[in-house]
Amino acid sequence: MGAPAVAFEPFTEDHQAFRRTVRAFVEQELAPHGREWDEAGSFPRALFRRFGELGLFGIRQPPEVGGSGLDWWYVVAYAEELARCRNAGLAVSMLVHGEMAIPVIGELGTEAQRREFLAPAVRGERVAALAVSEPDAGSDVAAIRTTARRDGGDLVVNGSKMWITNGARADFLTMAVRTGEAGHGGLSLLLFPTDVKGFQVSRTLEKVGLPSSDTAVLFFEDCRVPAANLLGEQDQGFYHVMANFQGERLVAAVQAVAGMQLMLEDAIRYGGERSAFGRPVGKFQAWRHRLADHLTSVEAARWLTYRAADLLARGEPAVREISMAKLFACELAQRVAYDCMQLHGGMGYVLESDIARAWRDVRAMTIAGGTSEIMRELVSRAAGL
């Protein structure tokens, strides 16, 4: 007989200690204000500095820019615990800043770019946004029209961006622009300070959910920025964006799984408290079996997501697995939210309940960061279909 199988355990005691620290912060300093910040349509900007002080924006960044130089499993633990803030808009804003807009600067940036943009973003002193989508170019990144034309030592930017999280309060954008020919071959990444003349936040969008996060339409008219702000190789931006999407999509899957776990915990607890026909609602077979199905599916989603995270952490190709994880977890989250809301009865339909806001907010998960349709296309291509 061979040696006994060893269970895959991605989290060391150091990871778990970090997790406990994040959970304490989230439950003590954020969750009590979840509904308040949704009703206000915003959260305090000072929270960016607070996250920076705790090292939550520099988990994978090197010490020379104020980071901790840790691995992807710390990011997974952070994203899982952040779901407990009871405010998805806040979670999205923080993850866009720390795990979507600035990691590519650490990977591709020059020393000067890291000093000017990355280091203060890690500290939470400057707020970052990822500006890729446009009114006519969401999933189709190669259709981006916003141009950056070279003029001496500057780039002159014209165009617009849409659906930009943190767009209204960002100090700089990690931005996809067209520097060359039409199609995917003419795109570049640009670090764009928002205090440049000609830049304007056209409006913030009133969304179905995520009310505390600002989602903006941005306008650029003859905005001049130094050509030295180009990030990575000119005209290679499409490939940089595609690589950056992998981290973004993995984090979305992690958040979906963590959010579902929380919704189910709440539903099971409420089902034990709410009575109908002389016994707790959660004791009826219909609900016990439905919850059992969801618990099983969420566990499957968790380990599919962990498999993708493991590949990414080891530097192996993971587009297929990440796409599967985002597709499965985010689609499942729609059904879990619906049923958990149903179990709550009338209380599930009022916004003072966490499940009502979660049901509303989770809808964005199959749209943002790559739609479910795009995920299916990526999986089908990987399978040679």
Side-chain angles (χ1 to χ4, degrees):
M1 295 179 63
V6 177
F8 173 61
E9 175 49 69
F11 301 107
T12 66
E13 179 50 39
D14 286 343
H15 289 115
Q16 299 294 20
F18 172 78
R19 178 191 296 279
R20 289 190 291 271
T21 299
V22 176
R23 180 175 292 197
F25 162 63
V26 168
E27 292 186 340
Q28 294 170 17
E29 298 187 35
L30 305 181
H33 305 284
R35 184 183 172 198
E36 168 194 340
W37 292 334
D38 269 353
E39 291 175 349
S42 185
F43 58 85
R45 182 185 172 95
L47 285 177
F48 284 95
R49 281 186 180 263
R50 181 69 178 125
F51 273 63
E53 290 169 0
L54 293 171
L56 300 178
F57 294 144
I59 293 172
R60 293 186 295 122
Q61 299 300 333
E64 52 264 32
V65 295
S68 302
L70 301 173
D71 63 29
W72 256 104
W73 292 109
Y74 284 92
V75 176
V76 173
Y78 160 54
E80 287 178 337
E81 296 308 319
L82 187 55
R84 294 182 174 273
C85 74
R86 306 285 184 170
N87 189 297
L90 168 64
V92 165
S93 292
M94 295 303 172
L95 290 168
V96 164
H97 174 94
E99 293 301 327
M100 300 173 197
I102 68 174
V104 69
I105 309 174
E107 294 163 8
L108 302 174
T110 64
E111 183 178 346
Q113 289 171 342
R114 291 183 180 191
R115 185 170 56 250
E116 181 179 355
F117 296 98
L118 182 56
V122 166
R123 295 191 298 268
E125 295 171 0
R126 299 186 76 185
V127 176
L130 181 66
V132 176
S133 297
E134 298 183 0
D136 297 316
S139 296
D140 187 3
V141 175
I144 282 173
R145 297 180 181 179
T146 297
T147 59
R149 174 181 54 83
R150 190 176 288 270
D151 183 17
D154 291 338
L155 290 171
V156 181
V157 180
N158 283 280
S160 63
K161 295 290 179 181
M162 191 168 183
W163 303 298
I164 308 304
T165 299
N166 294 345
R169 66 166 97 202
D171 297 299
F172 72 90
L173 312 173
T174 302
M175 180 178 172
V177 293
R178 184 160 299 285
T179 51
E181 61 187 24
H184 69 268
L187 296 179
S188 299
L189 284 182
L190 177 67
L191 295 172
F192 183 94
T194 57
D195 59 357
V196 170
K197 181 181 178 181
F199 170 77
Q200 180 182 353
V201 177
S202 296
R203 64 190 177 102
T204 55
L205 298 169
E206 187 176 359
K207 309 181 296 296
V208 170
L210 309 173
S212 69
S213 69
D214 63 292
T215 305
V217 181
L218 310 179
F219 183 69
F220 309 83
E221 183 177 10
D222 294 333
C223 299
R224 302 183 74 94
V225 298
N229 283 16
L230 273 177
L231 184 60
E233 293 184 56
Q234 182 169 326
D235 298 335
Q236 296 298 303
F238 180 83
Y239 306 103
H240 299 325
V241 169
M242 291 300 107
N244 195 59
F245 271 158
Q246 300 316 306
E248 177 177 352
R249 290 166 180 170
L250 176 62
V251 166
V254 171
Q255 279 269 289
V257 173
M260 288 188 286
Q261 183 69 44
L262 194 58
M263 286 187 278
L264 286 167
E265 289 174 7
D266 289 348
I268 291 168
R269 181 173 55 253
Y270 189 78
E273 298 169 351
R274 177 189 171 207
S275 292
F277 305 102
R279 58 174 167 156
V281 170
K283 294 298 182 182
F284 285 89
Q285 186 183 69
W287 279 116
R288 288 191 294 110
H289 287 189
R290 195 175 306 182
L291 291 170
D293 284 342
H294 285 324
L295 288 167
T296 303
S297 297
V298 170
E299 195 67 10
R302 186 190 326 280
W303 287 99
L304 178 59
T305 302
Y306 282 2
R307 165 63 175 160
D310 182 53
L311 290 172
L312 195 62
R314 291 190 278 119
E316 296 187 16
V319 172
R320 172 178 173 271
E321 289 76 10
I322 289 173
S323 301
M324 286 178 169
K326 184 181 187 298
L327 172 63
F328 184 70
C330 294
E331 289 282 332
L332 178 62
Q334 312 303 311
R335 301 190 293 275
V336 170
Y338 182 97
D339 283 346
C340 288
M341 186 182 191
Q342 184 75 13
L343 187 147
H344 278 75
M347 280 304 299
Y349 199 65
V350 294
L351 288 175
E352 67 184 71
S353 69
D354 291 325
I355 186 58
R357 300 197 308 280
W359 171 80
R360 170 200 66 191
D361 295 338
V362 79
R363 189 62 190 87
M365 289 193 138
T366 61
I367 301 170
T371 64
S372 290
E373 291 71 28
I374 292 296
M375 295 305 100
R376 291 186 176 97
E377 181 64 19
L378 291 172
V379 172
S380 66
R381 287 182 190 175
L385 301 179

